[in-house]
Amino acid sequence: QGARRLRLDAELREALREAPGRCLPYAVIQGAVRSAKETLSSQFVEGCHGVVQRLTLQEHKMVWNRTTHLWNDCEKIIHQRTNTAPFDLVPPEDGADVSVRVLKPLEAAELSLETVYEKFHPSIQSFTDVIGHYISGERPKGIQETEQMLKVGTMLTGVGELVLDNNTIKLQPPKQGMQYYLSSLDFDDLLQKQESSVRLWKILTVVFGLATCAVLFFILRKQYRHQREKRRLKQMQDEFRQAQERLVREGSTEGGETLKNACAVCLSNTKACVFLECGHVCSCNECYRALPEPKKCPICRQAISRVVPLYNS
């Protein structure tokens, strides 16, 4: 949008002389293609001449996808050659003595090449070839031969850097990193096309930005819930440990003596007998009578030869 639009007339040279360094960093110029020296002739179409010629051999084949179990179309460029000839942009009407030399046309985006010849050569396959193709997973379809040309007389819109070198006006790629264009569209259509592309990228940016925000929100919420659950479990563990410590303190202060003299079997009655010959005092009379025969000490598992009653005073 900020490119300066200029007409291809006698005033163009004066505008460049007045510009700093005789250079316009980004300008728009429109004119017809004219060969500066010799033209390129089509190899297949008689009487077709141009300044850019691109010959392409492209292989078409079917490739077996092991994931989807389907045959997919695949294209591969076998050979491509591009020939160029020096050319100028001149006014479409005759009589105006002004021209713009176009430099490095292959670096331009939107370079409009017209397809002047196209032919598809299908591959001839025998029965053994078909079997081999099914085994290898590649089934060739044929070779497509294409010739594209930028014809003499084509109207081009050039967007780039305009420089006045001696008495020659040159259009070349901009040095500030801006895009270089050579298109058959006029400037308004080219600008609308770029705006549509920018609009699409803006929409995709907004959509992916919202999706990213949503994913980050769910991740952060999940992390918050995890941390909250972790803190709740830690708080419960702390409360349980404090309750245990409180019970231990209460038991040691209030019923320590009772727990010390309690029967090791039932933990409710008081110890009331001494087992001999081991000498352990660990059971009440009821638990001693409930021991299976032969009776053994619950502490050391030695045989009990006799029992001496224990009296606590």
Side-chain angles (χ1 to χ4, degrees):
Q1 291 180 348
R4 182 177 175 181
R5 301 181 65 173
L6 298 171
R7 292 179 58 85
L8 195 57
D9 53 19
E11 298 179 358
L12 177 60
R13 190 173 280 105
E14 295 298 328
L16 287 173
R17 285 196 182 100
E18 296 175 358
R22 294 189 174 188
C23 173
L24 293 176
Y26 211 47
V28 181
I29 199 73
Q30 187 174 13
V33 174
R34 184 184 68 182
S35 177
K37 296 180 180 179
E38 297 180 356
T39 60
L40 302 174
S41 300
S42 172
Q43 294 186 4
F44 304 98
V45 181
E46 187 177 356
C48 182
H49 303 282
V51 293
V52 179
Q53 179 188 46
R54 180 171 292 163
L55 300 170
T56 306
L57 286 178
Q58 192 174 31
E59 180 186 13
H60 293 261
K61 60 183 178 180
M62 304 286 288
V63 178
W64 177 255
N65 192 323
R66 301 182 184 277
T67 304
T68 60
H69 299 284
L70 295 173
W71 289 95
N72 299 329
D73 289 326
C74 182
E75 300 176 357
K76 179 182 178 182
I77 295 179
I78 302 175
H79 176 72
Q80 188 175 74
R81 188 181 72 215
T82 303
N83 303 319
T84 60
F87 68 95
D88 301 329
L89 294 181
V90 298
E93 65 276 359
D94 296 332
D97 187 18
V98 62
S99 63
V100 175
R101 178 65 53 86
V102 178
L103 304 180
K104 301 180 181 179
L106 298 182
E107 295 184 10
E110 305 285 339
L111 180 60
S112 301
L113 298 180
E114 180 182 352
T115 301
V116 297
Y117 176 82
E118 186 176 16
K119 187 175 181 180
F120 184 76
H121 304 277
S123 60
I124 301 175
Q125 305 175 8
S126 63
F127 180 73
T128 55
D129 293 335
V130 173
I131 296 177
H133 297 155
Y134 274 97
I135 294 175
S136 63
E138 293 186 0
R139 188 170 62 188
K141 297 172 62 177
I143 303 296
Q144 183 176 2
E145 191 175 12
T146 306
E147 183 182 21
Q148 296 174 302
M149 295 192 72
L150 178 60
K151 292 183 178 180
V152 174
T154 303
M155 291 297 298
L156 277 186
T157 300
V159 183
E161 184 181 74
L162 277 177
V163 179
L164 180 61
D165 186 8
N166 294 328
N167 203 29
T168 304
I169 304 175
K170 297 180 180 180
L171 177 67
Q172 60 189 14
K175 295 183 176 64
Q176 286 81 8
M178 292 175 287
Q179 193 69 52
Y180 184 36
Y181 292 99
L182 288 175
S183 175
S184 59
L185 302 173
D186 59 19
F187 181 72
D188 295 331
D189 293 339
L190 181 61
L191 183 61
Q192 185 177 1
K193 182 178 180 181
Q194 302 305 316
E195 288 177 347
S196 300
S197 177
V198 170
R199 192 179 304 113
L200 175 61
W201 280 108
K202 287 182 178 179
I203 293 174
L204 291 177
T205 302
V206 172
V207 171
F208 281 103
L210 293 176
T212 304
C213 292
V215 172
L216 288 176
F217 171 75
F218 284 111
I219 292 176
L220 292 176
R221 189 177 68 170
K222 184 177 180 180
Q223 290 293 329
Y224 171 73
R225 290 182 174 178
H226 178 71
Q227 293 294 331
R228 187 177 62 180
E229 185 68 17
K230 188 176 179 180
R231 287 195 300 268
R232 189 178 66 85
L233 291 176
K234 187 175 183 302
Q235 183 179 1
M236 292 176 60
Q237 291 175 356
D238 294 340
E239 293 177 354
F240 180 74
R241 186 170 57 253
Q242 293 173 3
Q244 281 185 328
E245 293 175 355
R246 186 173 59 253
L247 289 176
V248 169
R249 287 195 301 270
E250 292 176 355
S252 61
T253 54
E254 297 178 0
E257 191 67 25
T258 303
L259 292 175
K260 183 178 179 181
N261 295 325
C263 173
V265 180
C266 64
L267 298 177
S268 57
N269 297 328
T270 305
K271 300 174 183 177
C273 53
V274 180
F275 298 150
L276 298 176
E277 301 292 331
C278 64
H280 284 123
V281 180
C282 59
S283 174
C284 61
N285 291 324
E286 290 80 1
C287 293
Y288 164 72
R289 288 193 294 268
L291 291 176
E293 297 291 341
K295 297 182 182 299
K296 295 181 179 181
C297 175
I299 303 299
C300 63
R301 310 303 298 169
Q302 290 186 17
I304 301 174
S305 59
R306 62 193 180 99
V307 177
V308 176
L310 181 65
Y311 301 98
N312 294 319
S313 59

